[in-house]
Amino acid sequence: MPTTPTQGHVVVAPDKFKGTLEGAEVAARIAAGIRRAAPGAEVRELPVADGGEGTLAAALAAGFTRVTVKVAGPTGLPVDAALAVKGDTAVVELAQASGLARLPGGRTAPLAAGSFGVGQLIAKAVSLGVERVVLGLGGSACTDGGAGMVQALGVGLYDADGAELAPGGASLRRLERLDLGSLADGLTGVEIVVACDVDNPLLGPRGAAAVYGPQKGADAEDLVILEEGLTRWADTVHAVTGQDYRNNPGAGAAGGVGFAALALLGATMRPGIELLLELLGFDEAVRGARLVVTGEGCLDAQTLHGKAPAGVAAAATRAGVRVAAVAGRLELSESEWRTAGFAAAVALTDLAEQPGESMTRAGELAEVAGERLASELLAG
């Protein structure tokens, strides 16, 4: 039976359900369920992201303008990518240009994939006159230490014969000379902020190659080659700049793009969800709200360590607003999700009648979840 909501609106702020629904689709479906159960409720949809894939979509849903650019994909073939602009801020999502989803035919290229297209997106943003570029890392297909990114911004990388290095992490082993050119001049007055939720260094057993290389198709021999290339890259950057960022938390993010952003672009790093909530105006959206509903594909132990739903829960709690979660799967115990600040949690797997329906009927079940939460939390 439909409930009658008391004063205060509802904010629906989920991340994407990876492999099934984008964040905006999740928000729309949950909101539809809430409106069905509580017809008088004011529901505001604000899909979020934690800095990885989905960051661009969240910015666009929050009112940023899409700017489409043809850039080099991870293997050099041209792709149509996009960035988002609003006022003096641009949002660049690495996966748009150099993500695994951009690999031709889905074939990995662990040694040759590069980040040149990311630099092209940043260059486009700067050409539009923005004063801040938010760079979301995640879903990277490359392990080139961000070398391709800075090459696109005018940096020269040369081998012993004076030839420009080819794209990819493997070629970094031949690096002999680094020419920063006019990089600093081109970024004058532009703040680069990296949205990042990993703390991996560039090198070693927790580094870019060792931890993330296998996800990008690297075998044991490839990992040795990539580690050698990244080491050469870090040594050369240190020699030229006098600064060593290889051990900084987040330097290993996105195949080492985090390292180049820190060492050569003068970037600062911030927790992804914290930065995105600020960018999307979450504090303003939640002011006066009665309930916030967030979620992601799987609510598990990783969620509690900086993922979007945990960030939303923390921000909502600070604002004195109850928060609930919808997830494809729920792998936390009730005591765990309650301790994390959730007043309620609904899993699509618990609503499905048959195994697999939480994926094939995700949208429909998300509506049912929204309806259930409204009946439980908006009554009275």
Side-chain angles (χ1 to χ4, degrees), residues 7-247:
Q7 189 174 7
H9 61 280
V10 179
V11 178
V12 182
D15 199 350
K16 64 185 177 301
F17 281 26
K18 193 169 184 178
T20 55
L21 299 172
E22 294 298 321
E25 295 175 283
V26 181
R29 291 290 200 151
I30 293 173
I34 293 172
R35 292 185 181 106
R36 188 160 57 239
E42 178 190 351
V43 186
R44 303 179 188 176
E45 299 166 30
L46 187 71
V48 302
D50 57 14
E53 293 171 275
T55 296
L56 178 74
L60 294 173
F64 280 65
T65 299
R66 175 188 294 270
V67 177
T68 302
V69 191
K70 193 171 288 293
V71 301
T75 61
L77 296 176
V79 299
D80 288 323
L83 62 146
V85 180
K86 184 178 184 181
D88 63 359
T89 299
V91 175
V92 171
E93 181 183 306
L94 175 144
Q96 278 284 308
S98 302
L100 287 164
R102 293 298 199 176
L103 289 164
R107 294 183 297 276
T108 57
L111 301 180
S115 58
F116 195 89
V118 181
Q120 291 177 301
L121 286 175
I122 294 173
K124 178 63 177 181
V126 172
S127 76
L128 296 173
V130 301
E131 297 177 4
R132 180 170 68 151
V133 175
V134 175
L135 176 59
L137 304 184
S140 166
C142 57
T143 312
D144 72 342
M149 175 181 70
V150 296
Q151 282 178 302
L153 293 169
V155 173
L157 281 72
Y158 305 98
D159 64 17
D161 297 323
E164 185 91 18
L165 289 190
S171 67
L172 290 173
R173 295 181 302 167
R174 305 196 311 277
L175 179 62
E176 289 290 336
R177 184 167 67 86
L178 175 64
D179 181 1
L180 299 183
S182 59
L183 175 65
D185 293 338
L187 296 176
T188 299
V190 180
E191 177 189 13
I192 308 292
V193 186
V194 175
C196 179
D197 288 312
V198 302
D199 61 0
N200 305 75
L202 180 66
L203 305 172
R206 293 188 60 250
V211 174
Y212 302 109
Q215 300 172 13
K216 305 170 187 182
D219 59 24
E221 183 178 341
D222 294 335
L223 294 178
V224 172
I225 293 170
L226 291 170
E227 187 76 5
E228 290 176 354
L230 292 174
T231 301
R232 182 69 177 170
W233 176 227
D235 290 344
T236 305
V237 171
H238 182 200
V240 171
T241 66
Q243 303 292 321
D244 195 349
Y245 288 88
R246 74 187 74 195
N247 293 319

Side-chain angles (χ1 to χ4, degrees), residues 304-321:
L304 306 181
H305 297 284
K307 302 295 281 183
V312 170
T317 300
R318 286 195 300 270
V321 181

Side-chain angles (χ1 to χ4, degrees), residues 322-352:
R322 285 192 303 176
V323 59
V326 175
R329 300 194 316 277
L330 183 58
E331 296 184 359
L332 297 175
S333 67
E334 181 173 347
S335 64
E336 287 175 321
W337 54 255
R338 286 195 181 277
T339 299
F342 296 104
V346 179
L348 303 192
T349 50
D350 292 337
L351 302 177

